[in-house]
Amino acid sequence: MSNNRREFLKLAGLAGVGLASTGFISGCASTASATKLGQIQEQAKKNHRQTFNMSGYAAPKLETVRVGYIGLGMRGIESVKRMSHIEGVEIKALCDIRPERVAASQKKLTAGTPPPATYSGKEEAWKEMVNRPDIDLVYIATPWHLHTPMAVYAMEHGKHVAVEVPAAKTIEECWQLVETSERTKKHCMMLENCCYDFFEMLTLNMARQGYFGEIVHGEGAYIHELIGLNFGKTSETQEAYYDMWRLKENTRNGSLYPTHGLGPICQVMNINRGDQMDYLVSVSSNDFTMGAKAKELAAKDSFYQPYAQMQFRGNMNTTTIRTKNGRTIMIQHDVSSIRPYSRIHLVSGTKGIAQKWPTPAKIANSHKWLSAEDYKKVEAQYTPPLTKKLGEMAKKIGGHGGMDFLMEWRLIDCLRNGLPLDQDVYDAALWSAIAPLSEWSVANRSNSIDVPDFTAGAWQRNHPVDLSLAGGGTTNVRA
């Protein structure tokens, strides 16, 4: 192993709140945990004065959006392929600690695309890439603990940021994103692709048009059995998580990955744009599977012995949020039980309800679900402009059924036309904050904890996300 790789592994292990607070140093675990919980509560009470409102901010137009990628694992490499289909995009640079991932990403570019510069093999190669003057947008798809440091550095060096979920791990990091974006006037969009799934966008438009009446309650989830993937060795398969980073994240006990289910519900309720979260409570079950799996593997393979000593989060976490306007949101997280995939996505109002997961999706405006024929009529009436324009093309290009491509196309089209983004830094911070806040609540017998207002009160006057494509929709797609 090279010295550079040893340093990178060291960085990966020490990043975020540190080894002690994730349970890696057993002798100091309880003290570090108490300190971490105290920091969550302290940062949640922070009094922020907004210096510039990034909600609704339209940055200067970029005729060509020059993109640099950091992180070319499962998510990054596929984005390179999709982004190369979008008009007005130049992929200027590719970066990953692993040279082989950079090489693999180069092969994903469409024919005739100018070869990008490459950065790999050393711990801070990504900084060299970000320092380039010919990059407008930094796309971050690295392990979670690197998201905020990379996003902050990129904004401070004059770049817009698109960062994978979650954008931050701690409340302090959430504030760092908000303060940096406001100070630099650079966009920081969390890449919450589920906001662009077809049914989620349909229900968002239905809510805007009043189909559900007054929204009362919403539900979302990330229920996805990932035990095999989390315990997979990167040396054996490229599909596993580098240096077992995601397995290590599962020593935190809370709703670790809330944004896939939460993001679409927040947009339906106009959270940060007319309503705001007030407080939450969170409860976790015991761990019934991950610890047992670690011990089972350790008995056969010494590689897993360190993991057999860890304490993993509970299988099922349920977090309930109350908003300032009296609505409620229920979010669930379970990636270690044998269950079919589900994001739930339930929208309930005074006049109607919609739900997906399990499929097929259902809609009702009475005590009975709509018939298949009536469902199709509603779908035809309320499908939003973005889906009408690019839905079929997105399905062909791909990315979780097409929603990844819709998200990336929309991001580029907004940057090229000088439009506000659908997701801003306040969304990135708020949706990411649910994880540490839920950790505090779980550790405190599910007591409630106040949710920070990252908009500093601006939610009362911020405008909802625009679904019309007004002023945009001009970006073409390359075959």
Side-chain angles (χ1 to χ4, degrees), residues 284-305:
S284 288
S285 72
N286 283 350
D287 167 37
F288 291 91
T289 54
M290 294 194 72
K293 184 65 173 180
K295 290 177 173 62
E296 174 192 334
L297 292 170
K300 304 173 185 177
D301 186 343
S302 61
F303 174 85
Y304 291 100
Q305 288 178 359

Side-chain angles (χ1 to χ4, degrees), residues 188-380:
C188 180
M189 173 182 168
M190 184 168 66
L191 294 161
E192 185 37 77
N193 56 346
C194 295
C195 290
Y196 295 86
D197 206 354
F198 295 85
F199 188 66
E200 282 83 340
M201 291 196 70
L202 174 68
T203 56
L204 175 57
N205 198 32
M206 292 171 69
R208 290 290 174 79
Q209 303 303 320
Y211 185 92
F212 302 115
E214 184 75 15
I215 303 300
V216 175
H217 176 73
E219 297 181 9
Y222 188 69
I223 297 172
H224 189 187
E225 197 277 291
L226 293 175
I227 290 182
L229 197 58
N230 281 340
F231 279 96
K233 293 182 182 178
T234 51
S235 59
E236 294 178 356
T237 170
Q238 290 185 351
E239 295 305 308
Y241 296 107
Y242 181 65
D243 188 37
M244 312 296 285
W245 69 264
R246 194 154 182 175
L247 179 62
K248 296 171 185 176
E249 291 287 358
N250 279 269
T251 58
R252 299 159 56 208
N253 197 7
S255 183
L256 300 189
Y257 200 66
T259 70
H260 284 336
L262 181 65
I265 295 299
C266 284
Q267 290 193 333
V268 164
M269 292 187 178
N270 290 328
I271 301 296
N272 284 336
R273 299 169 174 84
D275 198 358
Q276 185 57 281
M277 296 183 191
D278 192 1
Y279 61 90
L280 65 76
V281 296
S282 187
V283 61
S284 288
S285 72
N286 283 350
D287 167 37
F288 291 91
T289 54
M290 294 194 72
K293 184 65 173 180
K295 290 177 173 62
E296 174 192 334
L297 292 170
K300 304 173 185 177
D301 186 343
S302 61
F303 174 85
Y304 291 100
Q305 288 178 359
Y307 304 100
Q309 311 304 315
M310 294 180 185
Q311 184 174 347
F312 294 97
R313 52 148 189 85
N315 283 54
M316 171 60 78
N317 175 274
T318 300
T319 298
T320 304
I321 304 163
R322 181 178 170 87
T323 76
K324 297 286 189 181
N325 291 343
R327 301 182 175 102
T328 53
I329 305 171
M330 187 275 286
I331 298 295
Q332 290 189 317
H333 175 276
D334 187 344
V335 296
S336 51
S337 299
I338 306 301
R339 293 182 56 173
Y341 179 88
S342 175
R343 296 200 305 271
I344 299 179
H345 191 65
L346 182 147
V347 178
S348 178
T350 57
K351 295 181 180 179
I353 185 172
Q355 182 178 4
K356 187 179 179 181
W357 312 107
T359 53
K362 298 175 289 184
I363 296 170
N365 55 14
S366 68
H367 295 293
K368 295 182 179 179
W369 298 109
L370 296 182
S371 67
E373 181 180 356
D374 287 339
Y375 178 95
K376 288 182 179 178
K377 292 179 181 178
V378 169
E379 186 178 37

